[in-house]
Amino acid sequence: MTEIRLVRGDITEMSVDAIVNAANSSLLGGGGVDGAIHRRGGPEILAECRALRASHWGRGLATGEAVATTAGRLAARHVIHTVGPVWSADEDRGGLLAQCYRSSLRVAAELGAETVAFPAISTGVYRWPLDDAARIALGTVAESAAPPVRTVWFVLFDAPAYAAFAAVHTR
Ligand code: APR
């Protein structure tokens, strides 16, 4: 049974096997958590992202997919980059958001990761409502996480995000 923990903080400071980045399809960096990971992780991360673009992901990483790179100077060993869906009032993209968590957990397992940290994917620039994102994130991880992954952290950057996840995560 995988343990799910919530913590308020900065994902770049997590000493876990893999942290997950809320990237965009270019894999070439951005703002938010993407910007923080590249800024603090250093150029090795971007170098490996460029190599991924030059090889398998020439057209960019598709929404819901996940790929791994080094974590560079960060305490973590790997960064798993995934592309969340942009929230839409007209279309239910919840399946794509759930797929981000499943894909990231699959990549983490392939890496042999035992501890994984997620941000609240799509809840910043991509405007996903926190309560719905928390429901999808926690539900998907609870049903999808499996060995070797034994602990999954959700690292919530601010009080509203923490409150939204805590409201869903009763355990
Ligand atoms: N640690 C943990 N969480 C963070 C950090 C951090 N250092 N910085 C931001 N966050 C939180 C935000 O507060 C939000 O709750 O991560 C969540 C996701 O927000 P974004 O980083 O904006 O990501 P997202 O909404 O998925 O949008 C992705 O934004 O930065 C660009 O390149 C990225 O185009 C992509 C888009």
Side-chain angles (χ1 to χ4, degrees):
M1 180 70 178
T2 302
E3 183 186 19
I4 298 176
R5 310 283 295 274
L6 306 183
V7 66
R8 173 102 193 259
D10 180 336
I11 201 166
T12 63
E13 295 173 2
M14 293 295 287
S15 296
V16 291
D17 293 326
I19 63 170
V20 177
N21 179 24
N24 61 57
S25 58
S26 78
L27 285 178
L28 301 180
V33 69
D34 197 8
I37 287 172
H38 281 282
R39 193 167 47 250
R40 292 197 55 181
E44 283 177 86
I45 300 175
L46 185 59
E48 289 196 11
C49 287
R50 287 191 193 286
L52 286 163
R53 283 299 311 276
S55 60
H56 188 64
W57 294 101
R59 295 162 50 89
L61 187 63
T63 300
E65 292 294 335
V67 290
T69 66
T70 177
R73 293 196 290 260
L74 297 177
R77 287 174 38 225
H78 307 280
V79 176
I80 296 171
H81 306 264
T82 191
V83 180
V86 177
W87 184 71
S88 163
D90 312 318
E91 182 190 346
D92 177 5
R93 297 174 178 168
L96 279 171
L97 184 56
Q99 194 184 328
C100 286
Y101 290 99
R102 278 196 297 275
S103 300
S104 299
L105 286 169
R106 187 196 73 244
V107 171
E110 289 164 2
L111 294 168
E114 294 184 1
T115 54
V116 181
F118 283 98
I121 299 168
S122 288
T123 64
V125 168
Y126 287 178
R127 296 184 308 101
W128 205 284
L130 280 167
D131 53 350
D132 193 46
R135 178 183 59 79
I136 293 170
L138 287 159
T140 305
V141 169
E143 73 186 11
S144 307
V149 176
R150 58 177 170 74
T151 306
V152 172
W153 294 86
F154 282 95
V155 185
L156 291 324
F157 200 52
D158 55 32
Y162 188 88
F165 274 71
V168 174
H169 183 54
T170 50
R171 275 172 295 135

